[in-house]
Amino acid sequence: MRDVTHDVPAPHRRTFLKYTGALGAAAAVSASLSACSSGPESTNETGGGDGENPTLTAVIGYGNDGSWDPTQTASAFCMAANNHIYEGLLDTDPISREPYAALATEVPKDPDSTSWKFALRSGAKFHDGKPVTADDVVFVFERILDPDTQTLAKGFFASWLKGVRKIDARNVELVLKFPFPDGLARLTLAKIMPKHVFSKPGGWDEAIKGLAVGSGPYRQTAHHPKSNTTFEAFADYNGPRKPAFRKMNWLTIVDAAPRVAKISGSSAGAQIADNIPYANIGQLESGGLTVAGGAGMNNLFLMFNTKHKPFDDVRVRQALHYAIDTGKMVEVALKGRGKPASSFLDESNPSYRRAKTVYDYDPDKAKALLKAAGVKRLSIEILAVNVSWIVDCLPTIKSSWDAIGVRTTLSPQETTAVFTKMDQKQDYQVVAAASNPNQFGLDADLIMHYNYGPENLWMQYTRWAGNSVAKALFRDMDRATREPDAGKKKTMVQDYIDVVAEQAVLYPVVHNELMTAWDPERLSGIRPQPYPGINLLQAKWA
């Protein structure tokens, strides 16, 4: 099972397949990095609060073989790891997502200004001992804003950031196109990387494969794709979130059963694990572990091919949503750890408002909409990712659609296979998959542009970007981005989300919790995240 946490909104599919780890499309990663030459470290090495060299062992339920390039990656494992290795000018709290000074000495006092000036932290060093300078900051932002370089990060910055200017060796200025206070939190998505390392020929390819050299509290010591990645506290780190663990060993175990087994029992080989299946919560709690969840944007969505009739008809898309018994799905598949979607955003998002169109379970309305659309004897193959909780939800969709006379076939496949078909422009009817844009933040503008936009990869998959309703939607989205009044902007976002809900081209069925388990006798300061991965920057040995 691969995580389909996110997909990169890039117009060039080959570039997308090469760089993003979210779909497992970059699985052909070389294991010949210098840090990997000696073979995998023991995946059984565990730690504790005593001993000369304690090692924290974590189990991550996503692959570590995606892109490690911070400007490109959407891989859950790699993004979580990079948050410990790299720093932005500002970083954000993993739960509140409030920005705090990281490489910069302070958060700008006037977020509504179109000029943000930053002084770099005195004595900040990269893991190879070289100082962090303004040239490194400019290097990263110029890559992100380069019109000839397609990166995931470009979609988070290009609409509002005009450029970055070096003032002197330790000071830089970010120049905005218009006031955009939400941009402060987005600066954590621009991790500062050493120019002297990654500007070399082939440097970005090495970043993709796993070379990671940052200024953060932990330095990468070994990287073994499909096995584990190890870290060590960086002795020269002088930033705000000090490393509490001398060493860390993060194991990648995608399959649920061995992941749960690794953290279970008296001889558990790890102290913390993410992506815990709901069915195992009671077992782990009875064994003394703390299991807690975070509710957020994690969702099962349906994506329709609008060039494949009858899915070009909004009434058909709506009918299929109304037909799904989402209450049964939450009860049976999600064990009560989710909610039927009442907006594109989850209910905890600061910009949430119940959409004008909510797909409460209504099979009679579904039948009426299909009849109004003139659709009879419809047969559908659901092309689905084989992520375990998605597979658990599929039978409810099938039984619901069968019940309104739609003959339904389930076709769960490896995530890579599903989206390779999308990238090859193969024909399909409906895709069911998982997504969680919260990995990038809570900003509704960011979340919606990530999923909807004229050059967005998702919209290319749906073949909908040329639709007149879509074009009007994209204009409304861009106007909302530029709106300086926060209250008006929030309303504008909510209004265009109503359009997204009504059109149901790519739309969530349920939002669910992501569960994290840890040993409270060994670890303290753990806060479960509502998005994949872990953050240990404020954790410590108990």
Side-chain angles (χ1 to χ4, degrees), residues 150-172:
Q150 191 61 48
T151 63
L152 172 60
K154 179 185 290 185
F156 303 146
F157 290 93
S159 64
W160 57 273
L161 183 59
K162 183 176 181 180
V164 179
R165 181 178 71 89
K166 174 183 176 181
I167 298 174
D168 57 36
R170 285 192 52 238
N171 290 272
V172 296

Side-chain angles (χ1 to χ4, degrees), residues 329-374:
M329 182 182 288
V330 169
E331 178 185 357
V332 175
L334 304 181
K335 311 300 182 188
R337 300 277 181 169
K339 289 185 178 182
S342 56
S343 166
F344 196 95
L345 302 175
D346 63 286
E347 293 181 15
S348 63
N349 189 284
S351 295
Y352 169 83
R353 183 182 74 190
R354 183 177 171 87
K356 288 184 177 179
T357 305
V358 177
Y359 297 101
D360 295 322
Y361 178 47
D362 194 338
D364 291 335
K365 188 169 187 175
K367 291 177 184 177
L369 283 165
L370 289 177
K371 183 177 180 180

